[in-house]
Amino acid sequence: MPIIVISVGNRFVYVPANKPQCPISTKESLPLHRLLETYKTKAPYSLTLSLPLDIYFQLKSVTHFWPSMAAAAETSSQRTLRNAFGSVLAFFILLLIGVLAFSIRLFSVIKYESVIHEFDPYFNYRVTQFLTKNGIYDFWNWFDDRTWYPLGRVIGGTVYPGLTLTAGTIWRILNSLNIPLSVETVCVFTAPIFSAFASWATYLLTKEVKGAGAGLTAAVLLAMVPSYISRSVAGSYDNEAVAIFALIFTFYLYIKTLNTGSLFYATLNAIAYFYMVCSWGGYTFIINLIPMHVLLCIVTGRYSSRLYIAYAPLVVLGTLLASLVPVVGFNAVMTSEHFASFLVFIVIHVVALVYYIKGILSAKMFKVAVTLVVSIGLVVCCAVIAVLIALVASSPTMGWSGRSLSLLDPTYASKYIPIIASVSEHQPPTWPSYFMDINVLAFLVPAGIIACFLPLSDASSFVILYIVTSVYFSGVMVRLMLVLAPAACIMSGIALSQAFDVFTRSIKFQLPGISGKSEVDAGETSSSSVVAENDAAKPDKSEETLKERPSRKNKKKEKGQVEKANVEKNSTKSKIEKRLLVLPLEASVIALLLLVFLGAFYVVHCVWAAAEAYSAPSIVLTSHSNDGLHVFDDFREAYAWLRHNTEVDDKVASWWDYGYQTTAMANRTVIVDNNTWNNTHIATVGTAMSSPEKAAWEIFNSLDVKYVLVVFGGLVGYPSDDINKFLWMVRIGGGVFPHIKEPDYLRDGQYRIDSQATPTMLNCLMYKLSYYRFVDSDGKGFDRVRRTEIGKKYIKLTHFEEVFTTHHWMVRIYKLKPPKNRIRGKTKKSKSKTSTTSSSRKSGARKKNPWH
Amino acid sequence: MGICIVLFSSLSQSRSSYIFRILNSTGAAERMTKLSALVAAVSLLPILCFSFSPENPTDRRVLVLLDDLSLKSSHSIFFNSLKSRGFDLDFKLADDPKLSLQRYGQYLYDALILFTPSTDRFGGSLDLAGVLDFVDSGHDLILAADASASDLIRNIATECGVDFDEDSSAMVIDHKSYAVTETEGDHTLIVSDDYIQSDVILGSTKVESPILYKGIAHSLNAANSLVLKVLSASPSAYSANPSSKLSNPPLLIGSAISLVSVVQARNNARIMITGSLDMFSNRLLRSGVQKAGDSNKYSKSGNEQFVTELSKWVFHERGHLKAVNLRHHKVGETDEPAIYRINDNLEFSVQIYEWSGKSWGPYVANDVQVQFYMMSPYVLKTLFTDQKGLYHTSFKVPDVYGVFQFKVEYQRLGYTSLSLSKQIPVRPFKHNEYERFITTAFPYYGASFITMAGFFIFSIFYLYNK
């Protein structure tokens, strides 16, 4: 094995050439110690400055890399024991972190019930049911004729199958072990299980960056970060639940490959990336972030063969694997989201070639070669770029999907794609939501970034890039707060662990009585840094202290470190000098206390968020009032009514939010659902909802709709009802059918439903269906969501009839009346007679709702 | 076969309430042997056959409401022709206090004849809405008004799409084609021979003699597709009060005036509306007719044939179609699949029968079409018939996936409308239904294998050739 030996001062250290960052374990160092001694005399491999500076600093940054051979030999047995003890402790801590991550997400099950939440999870649940019933091939080829009527949806080709396959596999394994859990139970608990995995992945990733201590801290933080909890409580069976684990794990494997240069990890990385592609559309984040990092490394002169091994297999294998996922398919090579990776792939090969040529050519020849290559390369590049531009320009959106465009230009969606803008999770977040979702991490992140700069390694530069990009993305879309959360946890974990490191060490030095024994104890300060207290460790110690100081003052001294390191060559620092470099005892104690308080506050906030804010399943609602707890189970009531009282092939129209639930819970065909692949179809439903009754009836009838479902919160004050979403229906409808104009529904730019509302508004179907008979409830028609009396109280329906209204009026179901059996004549006389007819019919209709 | 009809008629149609009760009572007497139950059922057969059902669409029980029981004798020819065709007529006065169309939610009658032009309100529980609900539940109606037509009768007509002249004293007057009588009169007894051209409605035998008509005019809305003008007045007719001088030009003139109209509602209930009660009377049925200015004198007016044939149509003795056994399957198979694949070849068939008044016979036409429909027809094919009621065709499923429907929409003048649809999803290819190897892609296969082999050889060289 080739060995690189670096001499610093009069000590020698060695590293295996293929993993220069890898610290020497004490075990390894023993037999090689003699070897090194001989090398020292001959010193043929003493390559003092032949390594790039950054690797030199990387070597330094790994603390237990430093101990001299003598020291290692001296305390090796003791340290082995300590390491073993630390590993066991870390293992149990990780186990507990997993338990914490799992159990903090069970509030929703305990407070409500074991039930699938919200909208999308119902679709995933339905798909999983299909998978477990019919097997993977039928799932792959599943053409679903119950959604998007009459277009249908090729489910197998349009879903990210990762989550479904994961849950299906878990279910299958459990069943084969004779643990008969229902599919629903497995689905409910998939997210908590995977958040435990995600915490462990965070530990691994952070450990690669800054050592085990930071890893454990980051894992704890991630286990209960509210942002992640919001998407992974038990029952929240959505892609993000497994995708965040896949994301972090892919990053970990990338960093691991980068640190080791092992092809094994590179292959694993590609497989992890494949799993991520299977799971979530957010995989484009990975395939853009990693190239960015590679480019950064190349530009900053950090190119190495490890970088090549970490990147090239990922692109080749990853792209091949990604295109196997039906939903991605040729997108993996056709869309602009992936072009960055290919571009960097070319760049890294050019750079590799340059390094190679540089190695075999003399300096003079190299110059000639450079001019040659640059001129040819420019031509080739121009050609490639021209082809790329032609490809990109040939597509109307320049090859970018709407969601990605709205990431780059935050105003894009609201300008051009109302269907993307209408989703609340696609809105930019407000400031409080940062505090809500990542809490104190927001303050710790900057400290973590600074810690990552001291010193800057390949791994830490990646983490910095990760946090910077994810902060930007989270600012665009509140949903991407989820991507920010792991980055923030990693950064905060690093910051916290480094801070604890400094403070506890400062205390240890200054506490009387302990200082004498500190040689022994110091090693335990944290599991990340095993510091040996002896002559050899002293410079290191001061070195670290020095590192911490600029982090609190400024970065000015960062540069000075290089000199410091050289100065230290012959340093014989005394303990007195060291004492100057540690913090005062009182300050350390107070700072420690404050940090503990900060952590405690974070824990309290997280538990509160998990218990109160993010555990509501949103299909069952509760409210506390003076007379106790109210449970609103209207959604399931309505879906059950549909399931039991309508024909199997009946079509139910509703706004697309309720499509997944209707198919999954009521088992009825829907016109549109939460999968937004066909804008026109959604616009058709939007147009129907914003049209007058007759036009709406015609639209619905042409779609074979039998029932129309509206969600109405006016009676109980449920704010996310269809009236509040109505403007989006108008916008989306108007985007395709220009006769629907938004200003017609607004009075002086204001959206109102009271007597000031415009006639168009008062006559549209949504208004009528929402407020039909509403005045009967309290005599005034006071809408508790909009806090106003409604504008049109006595509504007569001509083409629709009410068939069901739930207990709290939250869901109202109407049936389309059949076309009139007869067509009336023109004569309008003897009104008394006709009015008796209609009134008798109305009373007939009124009788039909037995609930009021 | 008889049992089958029993079951069909009692299960599928709601009209036969009393039959249900009888059947229930036989069912309740569980001790009875099977045989006796069978005997009972068979003995019930004639009664059951009289009830309206999809299998036997002709009306049987008819309620006739009269202003005055003397109409029973003055219009006896018409009533007798109905009776002779097997109808069970139930005469009642319009203000009979026990008047009721339904009992326990079941209709007691299959059809209603309203010869009550002057009734302002019916007796019992019957009212305007009652009559309309009767029609809307698929029953037939004959309504005759005359110069004294009440608001109630006018409203029923209006609800069915027929507008009687608003001037309550107006009658149809025709100074050119009036019936020649002994006295000159006021030309309100008019003669018309302007029939609708439809063998289905008026029967295959042509009505030779013209129709005598004395009554009020009505008009139809041209946009109303359900109502048909069966007998219209001559171009010289107009509607006005014959006893007073015309102060304004009459609103209804010429052939816009409809004398007899029929409505076929969307549920195939049939309604006949006329402004002349006298048209059905023995007097006009029996009298000879001579049109003014025409030397031809017919010994007997066409009224009898006209009203008889029209009543046959109204009471579903003619022009009633049914479509059954809508089937489809892939070419070469016989089972109906749950889903088709794009570009499958399929065969489609449907059987259409026509009711002849007594039995179902094949319906023969060459214009029945099937649509393969998803928001718009993707395939529209005319069906071939084997002259025995079976219509069939075969076609290729379009290259579009989605939820399609087989649709047969058949609407012909005089016939009940057929509207069938059957939903069938069409899926895209499965992953293993594509071609495994494409000839045009062989260069790519070659390239990849050559690359693999090249890499292999290069590796061997590189590793072992130092």
Side-chain angles (χ1 to χ4, degrees), chain A residues 406-483:
Chain A
S406 69
L407 279 182
L408 298 175
D409 173 10
T411 57
Y412 178 83
S414 53
K415 264 191 273 181
Y416 303 110
I417 318 174
I419 209 153
I420 289 180
S422 74
V423 181
S424 63
E425 62 184 23
H426 293 162
Q427 308 289 337
T430 52
W431 284 113
S433 72
Y434 276 96
F435 187 75
M436 177 70 196
D437 276 359
I438 56 173
N439 200 246
V440 301
L441 305 187
F443 311 117
L444 290 171
V445 163
I449 294 176
I450 292 166
C452 279
F453 271 106
L454 303 170
L456 191 67
S457 66
D458 287 351
S460 64
S461 70
F462 178 77
V463 180
I464 291 166
L465 204 62
Y466 177 22
I467 184 96
V468 170
T469 47
S470 63
V471 164
Y472 170 73
F473 288 145
S474 74
V476 176
M477 241 188 228
V478 70
R479 182 192 200 186
L480 292 179
M481 201 70 114
L482 197 60
V483 176

Side-chain angles (χ1 to χ4, degrees), chain A residues 137 140-141 143 145 149-151 154 651 703-704 819-827 829-830 833-834, chain B residues 132 136 154-155 158-161 163 224 226 265-267 374-375 401-403 405 423 425-426 430-431:
Chain A
Y137 280 106
W140 185 1
N141 293 314
F143 174 71
D145 57 349
Y149 182 86
L151 308 168
V154 187
K651 283 87 194 169
L703 291 169
D704 295 334
K820 274 205 182 123
N821 195 33
R822 298 160 280 107
I823 300 175
R824 276 198 78 222
K826 281 181 290 189
T827 320
K829 58 177 183 179
S830 54
K833 291 276 165 70
T834 44
Chain B
L132 295 173
D136 288 346
R154 284 165 187 272
N155 279 334
T158 305
E159 289 289 336
C160 298
D163 300 313
N224 188 339
L226 301 176
R266 290 208 169 87
N267 62 356
M374 181 175 76
M375 295 174 92
Y401 60 78
V403 184
Q405 286 172 334
Q423 183 172 318
V426 173
K430 283 187 179 171
H431 71 277

Side-chain angles (χ1 to χ4, degrees), chain B residues 305-324:
Chain B
Q305 191 190 354
F306 180 75
V307 295
T308 310
E309 292 299 328
L310 205 52
S311 69
K312 278 185 185 169
W313 182 83
V314 170
F315 291 153
H316 287 269
E317 284 173 84
R318 199 166 48 223
H320 192 99
L321 299 179
K322 73 165 179 183
V324 288

Side-chain angles (χ1 to χ4, degrees), chain A residues 715-755:
Chain A
L715 187 75
V716 289
Y718 171 63
S720 54
D721 65 352
D722 278 346
I723 290 285
N724 273 4
K725 292 170 183 169
F726 181 61
L727 266 193
W728 289 111
M729 302 182 203
V730 173
R731 275 175 207 157
I732 292 170
V736 178
F737 303 101
H739 68 276
I740 302 287
K741 294 184 197 71
E742 191 181 337
D744 292 348
Y745 297 83
L746 302 174
R747 172 74 73 195
D748 303 329
Q750 272 187 314
Y751 179 61
R752 49 200 313 172
I753 49 112
D754 55 8
S755 49

Side-chain angles (χ1 to χ4, degrees), chain A residues 235-455:
Chain A
S236 172
Y237 179 57
D238 209 348
N239 287 337
E240 288 92 332
V242 297
I244 293 303
F245 158 72
L247 181 84
I248 301 171
F249 199 64
T250 312
F251 284 155
Y252 156 68
L253 285 171
Y254 171 70
I255 296 296
K256 185 80 183 172
T257 323
L258 197 56
N259 281 350
T260 58
S262 150
L263 258 179
F264 171 69
Y265 283 114
T267 317
L268 281 188
N269 189 19
I271 292 169
Y273 172 68
F274 175 57
Y275 184 62
M276 177 69 190
V277 178
C278 279
S279 305
W280 196 31
Y283 76 90
T284 46
F285 181 61
I286 295 183
I287 205 62
N288 283 301
L289 182 64
I290 290 180
M292 269 168 83
H293 179 244
V294 171
L295 205 61
L296 183 81
C297 286
I298 291 171
V299 168
T300 52
R302 286 162 174 273
Y303 172 78
S304 64
S305 55
R306 292 170 291 105
L307 188 69
Y308 183 84
I309 288 168
Y311 185 65
L314 175 68
V315 172
V316 177
L317 288 178
T319 307
L320 274 177
L321 289 171
S323 56
L324 292 182
V325 182
V327 63
V328 178
F330 276 104
N331 285 352
V333 285
M334 302 278 278
T335 56
S336 301
E337 279 94 341
H338 304 82
F339 282 174
S341 63
F342 301 136
L343 210 64
V344 173
F345 188 68
I346 297 168
V347 169
I348 198 170
H349 276 93
V350 171
V351 171
L353 193 69
V354 168
Y355 271 81
Y356 177 71
I357 292 169
K358 201 176 181 183
I360 56 171
L361 290 183
S362 64
K364 208 175 181 183
M365 284 294 286
F366 182 68
K367 264 186 187 169
V368 177
V370 163
T371 43
L372 196 73
V373 166
V374 163
S375 48
I376 295 171
L378 270 179
V379 174
V380 173
C381 274
C382 286
V384 168
I385 287 169
V387 169
L388 277 184
I389 287 174
L391 270 180
V392 169
S394 65
S395 82
T397 56
M398 300 294 169
W400 294 80
S401 69
R403 281 205 180 108
S404 312
L405 271 178
S406 69
L407 279 182
L408 298 175
D409 173 10
T411 57
Y412 178 83
S414 53
K415 264 191 273 181
Y416 303 110
I417 318 174
I419 209 153
I420 289 180
S422 74
V423 181
S424 63
E425 62 184 23
H426 293 162
Q427 308 289 337
T430 52
W431 284 113
S433 72
Y434 276 96
F435 187 75
M436 177 70 196
D437 276 359
I438 56 173
N439 200 246
V440 301
L441 305 187
F443 311 117
L444 290 171
V445 163
I449 294 176
I450 292 166
C452 279
F453 271 106
L454 303 170

Side-chain angles (χ1 to χ4, degrees), chain A residues 60 81 104 153 207 302 325 351 362 367 375 424 494 501 671:
Chain A
K60 284 208 303 176
L81 192 68
I104 201 172
R153 180 181 174 193
K207 190 181 159 202
R302 286 162 174 273
V325 182
V351 171
S362 64
K367 264 186 187 169
S375 48
S424 63
I494 292 170
D501 231 15
I671 305 300

